[in-house]
Amino acid sequence: MAGTQTAGRSDGAAPAIELKGISKAFGPVQANKDISIRVMPGTIHGIIGENGAGKSTLMSILYGFYRADAGEIFINGTPTPIPDSQAAISAGIGMVFQHFKLVQNFTVLENVILGAEDGALLKPSLSKARGTLKRLAEEYELHVDPDTLIEDLSVGHQQRVEILKALYRAADILILDEPTGVLTPAEADHLFRILENLRREGKTILLITHKLREIMHITDTVSVMRRGEMTATVKTAETSPENLAELMVGRKVLLRVDKKPAAPGPNILEVENLRVVDDDGVERLKGVSLNVRAGEILGIAGVSGNGQSQLLEVLGGITRATGSIRVNGQEIDLSGRHSDGQSRRARGIAHVPEDRQHEGLIMDFMAWENMIFGYHNDPAWQKNALLMDNPAIRADTEAKMARFDVRPPNPALAAKNFSGGNQQKIVLAREIERNPDLLLVGQPTRGVDIGAIEFIHQRIIELRDAGKAILLVSVELEEILSMSDRIAVMFDGRIMGERLPGETDEKELGLLMAGMNGKAA
Amino acid sequence: MMDFATILQVFDSTVRLATPLLLACLAGLYSERAGIYDIGLEGKMLAAAFFSGAIAAVTGSVWLGLLAGIAASTALSGIHGLAAITFRGNQLISGVAVNFLAAGLTVVIAQDWFKQGGRTPSLIGGARFTPVKLPLADTLREVPILGPIYYELISGHTILVYLAFAMVPLTWWLLFRTRFGLRLRAVGENPAAVDTAGVSVVGNRYAAVAICGLLCGIAGAYLATALQAGFVKDMTAGRGYIALAALIFAKWRPWYALSSTLLFGFLQAIALRYQNIDLGGVVVPVQFMDALPYILTVVILAGFVGKAIPPRAGGEPYVKER
């Protein structure tokens, strides 16, 4: 099905994609402002920018998901209006969304043919797709078992299905939106190999990301977006990560975290032989032991889904477990009636959960209401036996919002109306300002823009320097390496090993994360 | 105590009583597989029962009655579709509204047209569906065991009964072997996948809702023109809700829907035949027997049947995310 391809890289050819003066507003928010861009055929073109810079909106316009308020789209030099996804597909554009658009309980084959069936009956389409998939798999290293259900596939394989869907529809232009956010380092490397194969076959690739490393690694050209505008387009070979970061944020940013060496004190947290069996009877933690000392950050690295979430949940009092947890030398109730978040907080454990939108905040509640969750029984917030002291809570929230630079600093705004970074600052402010002995932090900067990442990292390090213990769980290896004083790697519910950040690298950690023990070569 | 003939009669009655449940259950299956919850099966059946009974009574033609029933039910489906798909309203509220609308309107219109206390006149002759005698039924009647089974149980139902049972394999084939079915199941699981594949989510959902209206229309018409001879107030008697329970019991699968509606039909047949059961001195009262299908409905809905995974996008209007 994949169409034949002739376009080369000659700069004289018409651009595969050309956008002229694209603008799009959502109500008062100008998501895209007069954007123009040329993407040459047979290249990998990166689009980089902070969250909310308008990258995804622009790509959605190109894929016919939204209609631009103004501007023109040219495909291979021809003006091509794209009012809907069908038009984009006919124009040879395929898109791999950040959140995959797959039907979970369909097979790979069924997902691939959905919308591209050849007739009213499925059988001929299915057997044709089976053949095409086999060919594509060999051509581009896109191997997936066609008869597996999507829900049984790893995230990396699901992404391959998305790419196969686009290729099956004869896409010559492939848009990938934050493709590596959910992948392990090995899976990401495989993806880059696939992209290089596609480029070699003459396909044009638009790669949207906020990871500078990827841009430097694989793109030919890179465009930077900031606040809805295209601020620069440069050849990748002629730029540097620092330069791009500055273009993204509009000022210099520290890519490395600035911190003093740790001065660890006594053990705050001691965990021994922790085991968790989930509702489906699957053992999620298989005897985890670790300790965190005062004044240090223990980073837990690992591909998501290897028990880190359960570890945080047990420590935070959300999940029950067997084994032993001691905080400040005192045993904690792990499975009894008092094993809950409240009792953990009473013991000086604060928890910034991985999923801030579901566990950290109530999205429809206002910021000041969110600011006391978990601590709402605190006598300081009670006016009398019946009523809460709302003015005091609001005033306190205002002060915390100022200290944590939450924007806009409006306590009456609902949590859902803040950006990801500012939502995270609200949660952090709530937990850190309680001055806990132990702070549990899960994915502190997931979906957070670069400016806020820096701020969040500094706050966590300040807490460490104040002599508190911090357990940091993150799937971002860079974050683990730059933040941690010690690193533990989890795989399949176990700690695979501990390393010191100065004495290891991403390669060794990557091997441990993939379950390969022993010293890396 | 129970002879062969009695057993056959109970089974025969099971088939008759299961038919409207099966049709309504399949109707709900199309709708819910496409992601539109439909609590309004009851109302649609009721409206169809009334209009089929009324038009059959006025024109003397059961076929015109059937068409009128289908039209009424599909119109209500259209209202539900408009509210749930186009205006992205709450599907439960819209379904409940359909039920109220049908419960009230049928009686009021019936009183206005026929002045018989909210019922239609009794249907006679060509205004009712008559039993179909299958070929060789009389000839084979004397064959032991199989003869009576063929004559009593398999032969002698109205055309709508055969239609309902034929809908089971047809539905299975449509859902799992055709493009239409693939897309219909996909919009119920992940409408965004359908949308990004360049296929209309709205169109597929309306198609499913229209089929739901069609089948509910046949179910309602069956009640008024085949099972009974005319419409009476509230004649669906909760069958729409039982069909919903059967649908969950059947895990949204056509063949399971057949078995689960036969089970409910069987319970209703037992309740109808054995009004007082004497269990060695303790007499089970008739009220309990009548209530049994409904009690089972509650038990099933309370989740005693194990894990049933509904279509993942069920009940949610589709909005393109930002």
Side-chain angles (χ1 to χ4, degrees):
Chain A
M1 252 313 267
T4 51
Q5 188 62 42
T6 50
R9 274 223 230 172
S10 76
D11 284 9
I17 309 165
E18 181 166 17
L19 303 180
K20 278 187 188 167
I22 298 281
S23 291
K24 172 78 186 173
F26 293 103
V29 183
Q30 189 77 32
N32 285 160
K33 249 179 281 179
D34 190 25
I35 288 187
S36 298
I37 182 178
R38 291 157 67 94
V39 179
M40 299 314 288
T43 64
I44 299 182
H45 191 117
I47 294 187
I48 194 162
E50 292 188 280
N51 291 329
K55 299 169 298 202
S56 294
T57 303
L58 187 64
M59 291 309 114
S60 297
I61 288 170
L62 189 51
Y63 194 65
F65 230 50
Y66 303 133
R67 300 186 77 156
D69 301 334
E72 279 181 295
I73 301 172
F74 295 81
I75 303 295
N76 297 322
T78 320
T80 313
I82 302 187
D84 52 35
S85 300
Q86 187 62 59
I89 294 167
S90 324
I93 301 174
M95 179 139 175
V96 177
F97 289 87
Q98 189 175 0
H99 303 287
F100 303 146
K101 309 291 182 195
L102 297 170
V103 182
Q104 289 292 315
N105 57 359
F106 279 19
T107 65
V108 171
L109 269 188
E110 287 173 325
N111 269 287
V112 166
I113 64 165
L114 179 64
E117 309 91 342
D118 292 306
L121 295 185
L122 290 184
K123 219 171 194 170
S125 306
L126 286 170
S127 54
K128 187 182 118 187
R130 191 182 295 277
T132 310
L133 249 50
K134 202 164 173 232
R135 189 171 57 72
L136 290 171
E138 278 151 22
E139 217 168 321
Y140 300 112
E141 293 186 64
L142 277 164
H143 296 278
V144 194
D145 175 13
D147 298 310
T148 315
L149 296 179
I150 297 297
E151 57 198 3
D152 296 332
L153 288 177
S154 72
V155 182
H157 279 79
Q158 292 189 16
Q159 191 173 54
R160 286 183 209 172
V161 178
E162 283 284 21
I163 298 175
L164 284 169
K165 265 169 72 179
L167 295 178
Y168 187 75
R169 288 162 173 73
D172 287 326
I173 298 167
L174 200 59
I175 307 170
L176 294 112
D177 191 0
E178 302 283 0
T180 58
V182 287
L183 301 183
T184 64
E187 282 174 328
D189 286 343
H190 190 114
L191 173 69
F192 292 151
R193 276 208 306 284
I194 293 169
L195 295 185
E196 277 162 8
N197 290 339
L198 289 166
R199 173 170 58 185
R200 198 168 46 237
E201 297 294 317
K203 309 272 182 201
T204 308
I205 293 161
L206 262 174
L207 179 71
I208 303 164
T209 182
H210 63 257
K211 292 185 188 168
L212 292 166
R213 211 166 48 97
E214 289 170 7
I215 288 286
M216 298 309 295
H217 182 63
I218 191 156
T219 63
D220 300 303
T221 318
V222 53
S223 296
V224 183
M225 285 190 76
R226 189 170 80 219
R227 296 202 191 121
E229 291 180 85
M230 198 66 90
T231 51
T233 298
V234 290
K235 290 242 181 297
T236 311
E238 296 163 9
T239 186
S240 67
E242 289 74 18
N243 185 20
L244 287 177
E246 199 180 328
L247 284 168
M248 273 166 73
V249 186
R251 63 187 160 83
K252 288 250 181 228
V253 279
L254 289 170
L255 282 180
R256 284 274 137 194
V257 180
D258 230 3
K259 61 171 188 180
K260 298 180 297 200
N267 271 337
I268 297 288
L269 174 71
E270 292 160 283
V271 173
E272 265 169 51
N273 199 22
L274 210 56
R275 284 172 193 279
V276 168
V277 177
D278 71 10
D279 293 341
D280 298 328
V282 180
E283 197 172 27
R284 293 294 182 175
L285 288 186
K286 302 175 177 172
V288 167
S289 302
L290 52 83
N291 69 312
V292 190
R293 291 168 294 180
E296 80 166 348
I297 298 176
L298 174 70
I300 308 273
V303 179
S304 64
N306 277 291
Q308 306 98 308
S309 305
Q310 284 74 19
L311 178 64
L312 278 181
E313 284 170 6
V314 171
L315 293 170
I318 302 167
T319 301
R320 300 194 166 181
T322 59
S324 127
I325 298 177
R326 283 188 299 279
V327 173
N328 289 320
Q330 280 185 300
E331 199 74 30
I332 273 187
D333 183 0
L334 279 188
S335 54
R337 214 156 50 82
H338 297 293
S339 176
D340 58 18
Q342 278 304 344
S343 67
R344 297 289 203 275
R345 287 189 195 92
R347 302 291 289 274
I349 302 178
H351 185 187
V352 178
E354 289 186 299
D355 186 346
R356 76 181 75 96
Q357 303 202 337
H358 288 112
E359 292 171 355
L361 295 165
I362 298 180
M363 298 303 277
D364 285 323
F365 279 30
M366 287 180 276
W368 67 269
E369 292 168 314
N370 272 297
M371 199 58 98
I372 58 161
F373 283 137
Y375 307 104
H376 46 275
N377 291 330
D378 188 327
W381 308 135
Q382 321 300 325
K383 192 187 267 173
N384 52 44
L386 199 61
L387 299 174
M388 301 195 75
D389 192 353
N390 290 350
I393 301 171
R394 276 200 208 96
D396 177 71
T397 301
E398 249 172 82
K400 281 179 181 158
M401 287 177 109
R403 283 198 291 278
F404 276 77
D405 190 29
V406 179
R407 278 178 273 180
N410 176 4
L413 206 59
K416 65 179 174 194
N417 294 327
F418 289 92
S419 73
N422 286 299
Q423 288 171 4
Q424 185 70 317
K425 285 182 191 171
I426 293 175
V427 180
L428 268 180
R430 178 177 74 210
E431 301 300 334
I432 287 184
E433 295 252 331
R434 296 301 294 197
N435 201 20
D437 292 335
L438 170 66
L439 179 69
L440 311 169
V441 201
Q443 319 297 350
T445 56
R446 178 186 278 169
V448 169
D449 52 64
I450 283 199
I453 288 177
E454 201 187 347
F455 183 89
I456 288 167
H457 282 169
Q458 276 168 2
R459 281 305 162 114
I460 294 173
I461 287 176
E462 276 169 29
L463 191 69
R464 177 201 78 162
D465 291 343
K468 309 299 185 183
I470 288 153
L471 183 88
L472 166 74
V473 170
S474 175
V475 293
E476 297 289 344
L477 260 187
E478 243 176 301
E479 179 163 61
I480 291 283
L481 276 165
S482 57
M483 292 284 292
S484 312
D485 301 309
R486 265 190 309 141
I487 298 170
V489 182
M490 281 191 79
F491 173 75
D492 195 25
R494 291 189 181 88
I495 303 274
M496 291 299 290
E498 273 193 26
R499 297 288 185 270
L500 294 174
E503 298 168 8
T504 185
D505 54 22
E506 297 199 359
K507 199 170 161 197
E508 188 190 17
L509 293 179
L511 283 175
L512 287 170
M513 282 161 67
M516 278 170 265
N517 212 338
K519 299 285 177 194
Chain B
M1 95 188 214
M2 223 194 277
D3 57 26
F4 184 56
T6 316
I7 294 173
L8 272 189
Q9 278 167 16
V10 170
F11 281 159
D12 182 61
S13 163
T14 298
V15 168
R16 288 171 210 282
L17 291 165
T19 296
L21 296 178
L22 178 58
L23 284 165
C25 186
L26 291 175
L29 192 145
Y30 280 99
S31 185
E32 300 208 349
R33 276 280 188 169
I36 305 294
Y37 282 162
D38 196 351
I39 206 167
L41 298 175
E42 176 85 1
K44 286 200 269 280
M45 280 165 79
L46 192 60
F50 167 69
F51 279 99
S52 62
I55 298 300
V58 172
T59 64
S61 160
V62 68
W63 293 103
L64 286 178
L66 175 65
L67 281 183
I70 291 174
S73 165
T74 311
L76 288 179
S77 261
I79 294 177
H80 184 53
L82 207 61
I85 305 168
T86 303
F87 295 114
R88 298 175 190 143
N90 185 304
Q91 299 175 3
L92 291 183
I93 293 176
S94 159
V96 169
V98 164
N99 288 342
F100 278 136
L101 202 63
L105 276 183
T106 49
V107 178
V108 170
I109 299 176
Q111 179 58 24
D112 185 58
W113 286 0
F114 302 107
K115 315 248 181 310
Q116 293 190 5
R119 54 167 63 220
T120 60
S122 285
L123 303 176
I124 41 165
R128 270 194 84 191
F129 280 105
T130 46
V132 179
K133 196 171 272 183
L134 293 182
L136 302 177
D138 285 324
T139 322
L140 294 174
R141 193 174 178 180
E142 301 310 322
V143 177
I145 311 289
L146 293 180
I149 288 180
Y150 186 67
Y151 184 84
E152 284 279 344
L153 189 56
I154 299 177
S155 173
H157 294 288
T158 62
I159 183 78
L160 296 185
V161 174
Y162 299 111
L163 177 72
F165 281 80
M167 277 311 292
V168 176
L170 182 66
T171 298
W172 174 85
W173 180 81
L174 212 54
L175 279 183
F176 297 103
R177 288 292 177 269
T178 70
R179 173 177 62 192
F180 173 76
L182 184 77
R183 293 177 173 186
L184 186 130
R185 285 183 292 131
V187 283
E189 291 287 336
N190 186 357
V194 177
D195 194 16
T196 52
V199 178
S200 164
V201 172
V202 169
N204 274 288
R205 288 194 159 172
Y206 268 111
V209 166
I211 296 177
C212 172
L214 171 76
L215 291 177
C216 277
I218 300 173
Y222 173 82
L223 289 179
T225 62
L227 194 63
Q228 317 271 329
F231 170 85
V232 291
K233 178 175 181 281
D234 289 335
M235 77 180 303
T236 44
R239 281 184 173 91
Y241 300 110
I242 294 180
L244 273 181
L247 181 59
I248 296 169
F249 198 20
K251 302 188 172 164
W252 293 269
R253 288 161 179 276
W255 286 105
Y256 290 8
L258 176 62
S259 7
S260 71
T261 48
L262 278 175
L263 173 67
F264 280 108
F266 178 68
L267 288 172
Q268 289 184 338
I270 293 279
L272 216 59
R273 177 157 189 110
Y274 300 99
Q275 295 279 302
N276 290 302
I277 293 184
D278 194 341
L279 293 173
V282 185
V283 177
V284 177
V286 55
Q287 286 84 357
F288 179 80
M289 293 307 293
D290 283 341
L292 199 57
Y294 302 92
I295 292 171
L296 188 71
T297 306
V298 172
V299 169
I300 284 173
L301 284 178
F304 274 84
V305 290
K307 205 169 180 181
I309 301 168
R312 284 177 179 79
E316 288 168 20
Y318 176 59
V319 186
K320 285 185 186 190
E321 60 190 297
R322 264 202 62 183

